[in-house]
Short mmCIF file of all heavy atoms in Angstrom, two decimals:
data_model
loop_
_atom_site.label_atom_id
_atom_site.label_comp_id
_atom_site.label_asym_id
_atom_site.label_seq_id
_atom_site.Cartn_x
_atom_site.Cartn_y
_atom_site.Cartn_z
N VAL A 164 104.25 99.72 125.75
CA VAL A 164 105.20 99.37 126.83
C VAL A 164 105.80 100.56 127.43
O VAL A 164 105.86 100.66 128.68
CB VAL A 164 106.30 98.47 126.17
CG1 VAL A 164 107.42 98.22 127.19
CG2 VAL A 164 105.73 97.09 125.75
N THR A 165 106.27 101.49 126.67
CA THR A 165 106.82 102.73 127.28
C THR A 165 105.81 103.54 128.00
O THR A 165 106.06 104.16 128.98
CB THR A 165 107.56 103.62 126.25
OG1 THR A 165 106.61 103.93 125.22
CG2 THR A 165 108.72 102.77 125.59
N GLY A 166 104.54 103.56 127.47
CA GLY A 166 103.51 104.32 128.04
C GLY A 166 103.06 103.73 129.40
O GLY A 166 102.86 104.49 130.41
N LEU A 167 103.05 102.54 129.56
CA LEU A 167 102.71 101.86 130.87
C LEU A 167 103.75 102.15 131.85
O LEU A 167 103.47 102.47 133.06
CB LEU A 167 102.65 100.37 130.60
CG LEU A 167 101.40 99.83 129.85
CD1 LEU A 167 101.52 98.37 129.56
CD2 LEU A 167 100.13 99.93 130.86
N TRP A 168 105.05 102.10 131.50
CA TRP A 168 106.12 102.32 132.41
C TRP A 168 106.12 103.90 132.90
O TRP A 168 106.49 104.17 133.91
CB TRP A 168 107.49 101.94 131.85
CG TRP A 168 107.66 100.60 131.60
CD1 TRP A 168 106.99 99.46 132.38
CD2 TRP A 168 108.61 99.84 130.85
NE1 TRP A 168 107.41 98.30 132.02
CE2 TRP A 168 108.36 98.44 131.07
CE3 TRP A 168 109.44 100.30 129.88
CZ2 TRP A 168 109.22 97.49 130.28
CZ3 TRP A 168 110.19 99.48 129.19
CH2 TRP A 168 110.05 98.04 129.36
N LYS A 169 105.73 104.77 131.92
CA LYS A 169 105.77 106.18 132.25
C LYS A 169 104.64 106.66 133.13
O LYS A 169 104.65 107.77 133.71
CB LYS A 169 105.87 106.98 131.01
CG LYS A 169 107.18 106.86 130.30
CD LYS A 169 107.05 107.68 128.94
CE LYS A 169 108.25 107.51 128.00
NZ LYS A 169 108.15 108.30 126.79
N THR A 170 103.52 105.87 133.11
CA THR A 170 102.31 106.28 133.80
C THR A 170 102.65 106.36 135.35
O THR A 170 103.24 105.48 135.90
CB THR A 170 101.20 105.25 133.66
OG1 THR A 170 100.99 105.21 132.19
CG2 THR A 170 99.98 105.72 134.32
N GLU A 171 102.19 107.56 135.89
CA GLU A 171 102.48 107.80 137.33
C GLU A 171 101.63 106.84 138.18
O GLU A 171 100.49 106.41 137.79
CB GLU A 171 102.12 109.22 137.66
CG GLU A 171 102.95 110.24 136.94
CD GLU A 171 104.43 110.34 137.45
OE1 GLU A 171 104.71 109.87 138.55
OE2 GLU A 171 105.31 110.72 136.64
N LEU A 172 102.20 106.50 139.37
CA LEU A 172 101.52 105.72 140.36
C LEU A 172 100.18 106.31 140.72
O LEU A 172 100.18 107.56 140.91
CB LEU A 172 102.33 105.50 141.66
CG LEU A 172 103.59 104.55 141.46
CD1 LEU A 172 104.42 104.54 142.75
CD2 LEU A 172 103.06 103.08 141.15
N GLY A 173 99.14 105.58 140.68
CA GLY A 173 97.80 106.07 141.12
C GLY A 173 97.06 106.53 139.85
O GLY A 173 95.76 106.80 139.91
N GLU A 174 97.74 106.61 138.67
CA GLU A 174 97.04 107.09 137.39
C GLU A 174 96.84 105.70 136.64
O GLU A 174 97.41 104.69 136.90
CB GLU A 174 97.82 108.07 136.61
CG GLU A 174 98.02 109.37 137.46
CD GLU A 174 98.76 110.36 136.57
OE1 GLU A 174 99.20 110.13 135.44
OE2 GLU A 174 98.96 111.57 137.18
N THR A 175 96.07 105.84 135.56
CA THR A 175 95.72 104.70 134.72
C THR A 175 96.27 104.96 133.33
O THR A 175 96.38 106.19 132.89
CB THR A 175 94.31 104.28 134.62
OG1 THR A 175 93.59 105.41 134.28
CG2 THR A 175 93.85 103.87 136.11
N PHE A 176 96.40 103.94 132.47
CA PHE A 176 96.91 104.05 131.08
C PHE A 176 95.85 103.44 130.22
O PHE A 176 95.42 102.37 130.41
CB PHE A 176 98.23 103.40 130.96
CG PHE A 176 98.82 103.46 129.54
CD1 PHE A 176 99.37 104.54 129.02
CD2 PHE A 176 98.52 102.31 128.72
CE1 PHE A 176 99.85 104.50 127.69
CE2 PHE A 176 99.02 102.33 127.37
CZ PHE A 176 99.68 103.42 126.81
N SER A 177 95.43 104.19 129.21
CA SER A 177 94.66 103.59 128.11
C SER A 177 95.13 103.89 126.77
O SER A 177 95.89 104.88 126.58
CB SER A 177 93.11 104.31 128.23
OG SER A 177 92.48 103.97 129.57
N TYR A 178 94.80 102.97 125.89
CA TYR A 178 95.39 103.08 124.48
C TYR A 178 94.37 102.50 123.48
O TYR A 178 93.79 101.40 123.75
CB TYR A 178 96.70 102.29 124.41
CG TYR A 178 97.41 102.44 123.11
CD1 TYR A 178 98.29 103.53 122.86
CD2 TYR A 178 97.24 101.55 122.03
CE1 TYR A 178 98.89 103.62 121.61
CE2 TYR A 178 97.83 101.66 120.72
CZ TYR A 178 98.65 102.80 120.70
OH TYR A 178 99.26 102.91 119.37
N ASP A 179 94.04 103.24 122.50
CA ASP A 179 93.12 102.82 121.47
C ASP A 179 93.73 102.75 120.10
O ASP A 179 93.79 103.74 119.39
CB ASP A 179 91.90 103.75 121.51
CG ASP A 179 90.83 103.27 120.56
OD1 ASP A 179 90.85 102.09 120.24
OD2 ASP A 179 89.90 104.02 120.17
N GLY A 180 94.38 101.57 119.86
CA GLY A 180 95.11 101.44 118.59
C GLY A 180 94.19 100.53 117.63
O GLY A 180 93.34 100.06 117.87
N ILE A 181 94.92 100.33 116.52
CA ILE A 181 94.37 99.50 115.51
C ILE A 181 94.43 98.04 115.85
O ILE A 181 93.53 97.17 115.76
CB ILE A 181 94.91 99.64 114.15
CG1 ILE A 181 94.69 101.09 113.53
CG2 ILE A 181 94.49 98.64 113.09
CD1 ILE A 181 95.35 101.53 112.34
N HIS A 182 95.61 97.71 116.51
CA HIS A 182 95.91 96.27 116.77
C HIS A 182 95.83 96.02 118.34
O HIS A 182 95.54 94.86 118.67
CB HIS A 182 97.34 95.92 116.38
CG HIS A 182 97.54 96.27 114.95
ND1 HIS A 182 97.15 95.38 113.98
CD2 HIS A 182 98.27 97.23 114.23
CE1 HIS A 182 97.51 95.77 112.76
NE2 HIS A 182 98.21 96.99 112.88
N TYR A 183 95.92 96.98 119.22
CA TYR A 183 95.84 96.80 120.61
C TYR A 183 95.02 97.92 121.22
O TYR A 183 95.02 99.02 120.91
CB TYR A 183 97.27 96.78 121.25
CG TYR A 183 98.16 95.79 120.66
CD1 TYR A 183 99.09 96.26 119.61
CD2 TYR A 183 98.07 94.41 121.00
CE1 TYR A 183 99.95 95.29 119.12
CE2 TYR A 183 98.88 93.44 120.45
CZ TYR A 183 100.01 93.92 119.53
OH TYR A 183 100.81 93.00 118.99
N GLN A 184 94.21 97.57 122.26
CA GLN A 184 93.42 98.37 123.04
C GLN A 184 93.64 98.08 124.55
O GLN A 184 93.45 96.94 124.87
CB GLN A 184 91.92 98.33 122.63
CG GLN A 184 91.56 98.74 121.23
CD GLN A 184 91.80 97.67 120.26
OE1 GLN A 184 91.53 96.40 120.56
NE2 GLN A 184 92.38 97.96 119.12
N LEU A 185 93.95 99.15 125.35
CA LEU A 185 94.03 98.95 126.75
C LEU A 185 93.08 100.03 127.35
O LEU A 185 93.05 101.17 126.99
CB LEU A 185 95.42 99.24 127.25
CG LEU A 185 96.46 98.16 127.01
CD1 LEU A 185 96.94 98.17 125.53
CD2 LEU A 185 97.71 98.39 127.92
N THR A 186 92.34 99.57 128.37
CA THR A 186 91.33 100.41 129.04
C THR A 186 91.69 100.48 130.51
O THR A 186 91.69 99.42 131.24
CB THR A 186 89.96 99.97 128.86
OG1 THR A 186 89.67 99.87 127.46
CG2 THR A 186 88.97 100.88 129.52
N ASP A 187 91.98 101.63 131.00
CA ASP A 187 92.27 101.96 132.46
C ASP A 187 93.12 100.95 133.12
O ASP A 187 92.94 100.43 134.15
CB ASP A 187 90.92 101.92 133.15
CG ASP A 187 89.96 103.01 132.74
OD1 ASP A 187 90.44 104.11 132.21
OD2 ASP A 187 88.74 102.87 132.80
N SER A 188 94.22 100.70 132.45
CA SER A 188 95.29 99.85 133.09
C SER A 188 95.95 100.52 134.24
O SER A 188 96.29 101.75 134.18
CB SER A 188 96.34 99.43 131.96
OG SER A 188 97.51 98.79 132.70
N PRO A 189 96.15 99.80 135.39
CA PRO A 189 96.82 100.38 136.50
C PRO A 189 98.27 100.59 136.19
O PRO A 189 98.99 101.23 136.97
CB PRO A 189 96.62 99.36 137.63
CG PRO A 189 96.46 98.07 136.95
CD PRO A 189 95.66 98.41 135.66
N ALA A 190 98.81 100.12 135.12
CA ALA A 190 100.15 100.26 134.61
C ALA A 190 101.13 99.80 135.75
O ALA A 190 102.07 100.56 136.03
CB ALA A 190 100.39 101.78 134.34
N LEU A 191 100.95 98.64 136.22
CA LEU A 191 101.84 98.09 137.27
C LEU A 191 102.16 96.70 136.75
O LEU A 191 101.54 96.04 135.87
CB LEU A 191 101.08 97.96 138.55
CG LEU A 191 100.56 99.26 139.19
CD1 LEU A 191 99.76 98.97 140.43
CD2 LEU A 191 101.86 100.03 139.61
#
Side-chain angles (χ1 to χ4, degrees):
V164 171
T165 58
L167 287 166
W168 291 339
K169 290 177 183 176
T170 300
E171 297 291 336
L172 287 173
E174 298 182 2
T175 60
F176 176 83
S177 296
Y178 185 87
D179 186 18
I181 295 172
H182 303 286
Y183 304 101
Q184 297 82 38
L185 286 74
T186 302
D187 296 333
S188 171
L191 297 172

